[in-house]
Amino acid sequence: MTGDEALPPGTQQIAAGAALRQRRRLSASDQAPWLHQEVASRMLDRLSVIRLQPTAVLQSRPALGGGDEGLRERYPQSTQLWLEPDAEVRALLEKRLRRGFMQSMVDKLRGSAPTELITEPPAGAAQLAWSNMELHAEADKPALVKTWHAGLAVEGCLMFSCLGPDSFIELRPIFAREGWGPPAPDWVDMHDLGDLLVHAGFADPVMDQEHLKLTWGSPQDLLRDLRALGGNLAPARLRGLRTKAWRERLLRALESLRGPDGRLSLSIELVYGHAFKPQPKLKVAATTEVSLDQMRAMVRGAGKH
């Protein structure tokens, strides 16, 4: 694709192979990355504005998100649909479910809903779709959003979070000065993500953002925590094996992030969004036939606005 061609909403250049390796590495841990867990807690707080009691919740790539426990507490009678298309990660999740077999028996006795591991969502199966800190690292964002749309019932709600353009912005001049290429892709902003939702068929998208400032005492600690979040997914990133000398050079360069308080700092921009799956629109022709059931559904939908 050339720079002169129009890109679909939310399109971004992501190294798909690197994204796959990153997801597999992060999913191998029994816990989601530290930042993902914090964002999941903030997303759960936002669910209070969504007046839904879903019978099924679609969790997109739950190994990354860290919101499973909170979703179960909020919706104990809701079936949790774990959506994971990658066979390698799915095998890890299957082992996790088997380890929790006795707990699942206890949940059944208490009347709690089960967990189902799926490769693609059944059409209209869920009333709530949940994706935490996944979308920014997805190479084919339009396809992922369409999958969420397909899995939602009409009037179901999508809630998601991801990184925004100001994330790790302080690293860019450092990497440019050292000739290391970009430290991260150009993350998609919330307006383009809203357009992506509309393009996929969602209605009434609501987007907002939050900025965090994270600090560390040493560049070693900073690098450790960044690795725990993933890796560099920019296609134009510096290639090749890293040497000990390169690492030492990076550690020295990161000292420029140290502020008056003596700590190194990086910015994080979090983007939150939610949207609803509307009633399907009827195609207008010279003569349009509408069933009584369709008319009733349209009237009910109009009465809710």
Side-chain angles (χ1 to χ4, degrees):
M1 180 173 290
T2 68
D4 296 330
E5 295 176 3
L7 297 174
T11 298
Q12 161 194 43
Q13 295 300 313
I14 289 282
L20 176 62
R21 292 190 296 271
Q22 174 179 306
R23 284 196 299 269
R24 288 176 173 176
R25 176 171 63 82
L26 297 182
S27 298
S29 172
D30 284 340
Q31 288 190 328
W34 54 272
L35 180 60
H36 297 199
Q37 294 182 58
E38 173 61 28
V39 177
S41 176
R42 298 178 186 223
M43 281 182 66
L44 287 165
D45 290 340
R46 290 165 178 260
L47 277 176
S48 60
V49 304
I50 307 297
R51 297 180 180 179
L52 278 177
Q53 288 301 317
T55 58
V57 177
L58 177 65
Q59 294 190 45
S60 188
R61 292 199 175 107
L64 293 177
D68 182 68
E69 183 177 352
L71 287 168
R72 292 176 187 278
E73 290 177 357
R74 184 174 288 268
Y75 306 118
Q77 304 307 314
S78 299
T79 298
Q80 299 296 324
L81 302 175
W82 284 5
L83 173 63
E84 179 50 69
D86 181 19
E88 183 171 314
V89 177
R90 196 163 59 250
L92 295 172
L93 291 175
E94 287 171 348
K95 291 180 181 178
R96 199 169 300 173
L97 289 175
R98 285 198 295 271
R99 287 202 305 269
F101 176 76
M102 292 305 299
Q103 182 59 48
S104 68
M105 293 296 100
V106 172
D107 290 341
K108 286 182 180 179
L109 290 173
R110 291 175 176 172
S112 299
T115 299
E116 297 180 14
L117 184 57
I118 58 176
T119 58
E120 61 181 39
Q127 292 74 42
L128 174 64
W130 170 279
S131 169
N132 181 34
M133 297 294 281
E134 172 193 15
L135 189 58
H136 60 264
E138 173 58 47
D140 192 347
K141 290 177 175 57
L144 178 59
V145 174
K146 288 179 181 177
T147 297
W148 298 339
H149 186 272
L152 270 178
V154 171
E155 297 178 359
C157 178
L158 164 68
M159 179 169 280
F160 74 93
S161 64
C162 61
L163 294 178
D166 286 343
S167 297
F168 317 122
I169 195 169
E170 296 89 348
L171 293 178
R172 294 188 181 277
I174 294 176
F175 275 56
R177 183 173 64 246
E178 300 289 343
W180 291 336
D186 293 325
W187 308 117
V188 179
D189 70 30
M190 66 178 185
H191 304 292
D192 288 336
L193 291 174
D195 291 342
L196 174 62
L197 296 179
V198 173
H199 190 74
F202 284 98
D204 305 322
V206 177
M207 311 292 300
D208 67 301
Q209 62 188 172
E210 181 179 16
H211 286 85
L212 305 179
K213 182 73 74 172
L214 305 181
T215 66
W216 292 266
S218 72
Q220 291 86 350
D221 289 343
L222 184 154
L223 284 183
R224 179 202 63 218
D225 284 350
L226 287 188
R227 175 167 173 76
L229 292 181
N232 190 349
L233 301 181
R237 66 193 184 281
L238 182 66
R239 302 302 182 96
L241 295 175
R242 303 294 185 265
T243 64
K244 184 177 180 181
W246 182 88
R247 176 181 168 82
E248 292 302 318
R249 183 179 170 188
L250 173 60
L251 292 174
R252 290 193 300 271
L254 291 176
E255 284 292 340
S256 64
L257 299 174
R258 202 175 293 280
D261 61 354
R263 296 182 64 81
L264 296 90
S265 65
L266 284 177
S267 301
I268 300 285
E269 180 184 351
L270 301 175
V271 174
Y272 302 94
H274 69 263
F276 292 87
K277 181 174 179 175
Q279 291 283 350
K281 294 181 179 180
L282 294 174
K283 294 183 179 180
V284 178
T287 300
T288 303
E289 294 183 2
V290 182
S291 71
L292 184 57
D293 288 341
Q294 286 176 311
M295 183 64 73
R296 286 172 177 161
M298 292 168 63
V299 171
R300 285 197 300 270
K304 292 184 179 181
H305 298 284

